[in-house]
Amino acid sequence: MCYNYIMITVNLKDGERIDQLFSSDVKIIQDKSVFSYSVDSVLLSRFPRLPQKGLIVDLCSGNGAVGLFSATKTSAEIRLVELQERLADMGQRSIALNQLQDQVSMINDDLKNLLSHVPRSQVDLILCNPPYFKVTETSKKNLSEAYLLARHEVTTNLEDIFEVSRHALKSNGRLAMVHRPDRFLEIIATMKKYKLAPKRLQFVYPKFGKDANMLLIEAIKDGSFDGLKVLPPLIVHRENGDYTDEIFEIYFGKNAKQKAYMYVLECADGSLYTGYTTDLEKRLSAHNAGKGAKYTKSRRPVRLLYSETFNNKNAAMSAESFFKRKTRKQKLAYIQENSSTD
């Protein structure tokens, strides 16, 4: 199976899909049986202040989500480091999918060998979403090898991560990490051992009134151990399961609640094209100028056959996806049925 994106063809393997963080244009190749990013990766990519030049390293990068999401906020070079060949390959193809080869690169190696790939004491920022859990007999039995290595400290641990970070970071360079609150004291103690001074801390809660299940922490190499700033709590979900406003903005962008449209065009050859946009008139003009989509470029002129209005881009995208799964006959019936009420 192939996925076409801005004239780029990326081969997907069995079980893979492409997901998007809607607040950016970045798309990530995922496979739920091997590895999929979740809210911890998204929050980590948005937690530290990113340097606008220099070098950023993403340790334990998995399929590259943290580094790729970060690439939308900086012009700095980003190097992803992932031990598992399967995950590194997914990350490499996501780099190509997003045409970020000039900024982002994938290193398939053990993080202990980081200094073979980056200059000593020259890294501005290290990002790390590491394995959270210590290995138990139960975890070995109940997880696939890919998830075992990603979630449990089989091949690396806090000592390894902080030691290599100490050698790779420049003086006053920073390390930002997401981890589990139950290991907070261990994280602080191990950071101090390697002269990484914790400076910013934020606890993340699944819902109001629930115990924290994540922490975000940022440390500075050779910094003073005074002055740790604890940020306000970050709550992910409302009581009804919806994202809180802060998380919604992270996932979908500041303008996510602006009006968006699912639209259907009739092309010159009689075929139908479905898309979504936040500016219907501008998008229709783009299609007729040959700039809207590869499909419509050779089938002009096009005319607007139908549209639906939504309160945010995500809803419009979902409607587009649902509509595209219909047959032509079903699409035309849907349009006829709903045109009078839209």
Side-chain angles (χ1 to χ4, degrees):
M1 177 169 51
C2 295
Y3 188 91
N4 294 311
Y5 175 60
I6 316 181
M7 305 298 287
I8 297 296
T9 300
V10 175
N11 292 320
L12 294 183
K13 299 179 180 179
D14 290 344
E16 290 183 345
R17 67 181 190 274
I18 294 178
D19 290 337
Q20 180 179 1
L21 185 67
F22 297 115
S23 59
S24 73
D25 293 327
V26 173
K27 292 178 170 61
I28 307 291
I29 297 174
Q30 308 246 73
D31 184 340
K32 66 179 181 180
S33 67
V34 179
F35 184 89
S36 296
Y37 76 82
S38 55
V39 67
D40 51 359
S41 297
V42 177
L43 295 182
L44 176 60
S45 71
R46 297 298 188 261
F47 178 65
R49 177 179 54 83
L50 298 174
Q52 292 306 300
K53 59 182 181 178
L55 178 59
I56 298 172
V57 172
D58 176 19
L59 298 179
C60 307
S61 68
N63 62 354
V66 175
L68 287 166
F69 293 149
S70 300
T72 65
K73 301 293 185 180
T74 178
S75 298
E77 179 185 358
I78 300 175
R79 299 185 191 178
L80 316 177
V81 182
E82 173 53 45
L83 175 62
Q84 296 190 63
E85 183 177 357
R86 177 75 171 86
L87 302 188
D89 174 64
M90 292 166 67
Q92 184 61 57
R93 285 181 287 132
S94 288
I95 293 171
L97 175 65
N98 293 281
Q99 297 182 288
L100 288 170
Q101 298 95 320
D102 292 340
Q103 181 185 8
V104 185
S105 58
M106 172 61 74
I107 300 167
N108 181 203
D109 199 357
D110 193 314
L111 63 81
K112 296 174 186 175
N113 301 324
L114 179 62
L115 294 181
S116 298
H117 305 283
V118 302
R120 181 184 292 268
S121 301
Q122 293 298 311
V123 177
D124 295 272
L125 172 66
I126 290 178
L127 302 165
C128 189
N129 184 355
Y132 293 157
F133 307 106
K134 297 182 179 181
V135 181
T136 66
E137 287 302 316
T138 301
S139 64
K140 288 182 179 180
K141 292 177 181 177
N142 294 345
L143 289 174
S144 68
E145 182 179 4
Y147 271 105
L148 178 66
L149 297 181
R151 293 179 176 176
H152 292 75
E153 294 179 332
V154 177
T155 59
T156 193
N157 53 39
L158 291 174
E159 291 269 353
D160 293 338
I161 292 165
F162 294 154
E163 181 178 14
V164 75
S165 297
R166 165 72 186 167
H167 293 302
L169 287 170
K170 60 175 57 175
S171 183
N172 290 321
R174 292 172 293 125
L175 165 68
M177 171 183 284
V178 59
H179 217 291
R180 298 280 295 183
D182 57 301
R183 300 190 66 180
F184 172 57
L185 295 180
E186 180 186 359
I187 291 168
I188 294 293
T190 311
M191 280 183 166
K192 289 186 175 181
K193 177 180 176 180
Y194 290 98
K195 299 182 179 179
L196 299 168
K199 287 298 182 180
R200 295 173 68 242
L201 173 68
Q202 186 171 38
F203 288 98
V204 182
Y205 299 79
K207 286 184 178 181
F208 181 79
K210 299 290 185 180
D211 292 341
N213 62 350
M214 278 185 281
L215 67 83
L216 297 158
I217 189 166
E218 184 178 22
I220 296 179
K221 176 182 174 180
D222 297 329
S224 167
F225 286 94
D226 296 328
L228 172 63
K229 182 178 181 180
V230 180
L231 303 178
L234 183 59
I235 300 172
V236 177
H237 293 105
R238 302 178 187 275
E239 286 302 313
N240 65 0
D242 291 344
Y243 286 133
T244 58
D245 289 346
E246 189 168 2
I247 299 298
F248 188 92
E249 182 176 312
I250 290 172
Y251 264 88
F252 302 108
K254 291 183 178 181
N255 297 320
K257 293 187 177 181
Q258 72 182 90
K259 296 293 184 182
Y261 308 89
M262 184 275 286
Y263 64 91
V264 183
L265 304 178
E266 184 178 45
C267 301
D269 62 359
S271 62
L272 303 180
Y273 175 86
T274 308
Y276 76 92
T277 184
T278 56
D279 189 328
L280 198 54
E281 184 176 349
K282 182 178 179 180
R283 188 62 174 165
L284 182 60
S285 296
H287 279 293
N288 276 317
K291 300 177 181 179
K294 184 179 179 181
Y295 182 85
T296 57
K297 184 176 182 180
S298 60
R299 294 171 171 83
R300 293 176 288 162
V302 301
R303 73 178 184 91
L304 182 64
L305 189 64
Y306 177 75
S307 69
E308 284 187 26
T309 306
F310 298 89
N311 289 325
N312 58 74
K313 185 170 72 173
N314 185 44
M317 292 178 72
S318 296
E320 175 202 20
S321 177
F322 177 76
F323 191 84
K324 283 181 174 179
R325 292 197 293 270
K326 296 178 180 294
T327 65
R328 178 183 173 86
K329 183 178 180 180
Q330 289 171 332
K331 290 176 181 177
L332 292 173
Y334 180 91
I335 290 171
Q336 184 177 8
E337 181 180 350
N338 290 277
S339 290
S340 59
T341 58
D342 185 59

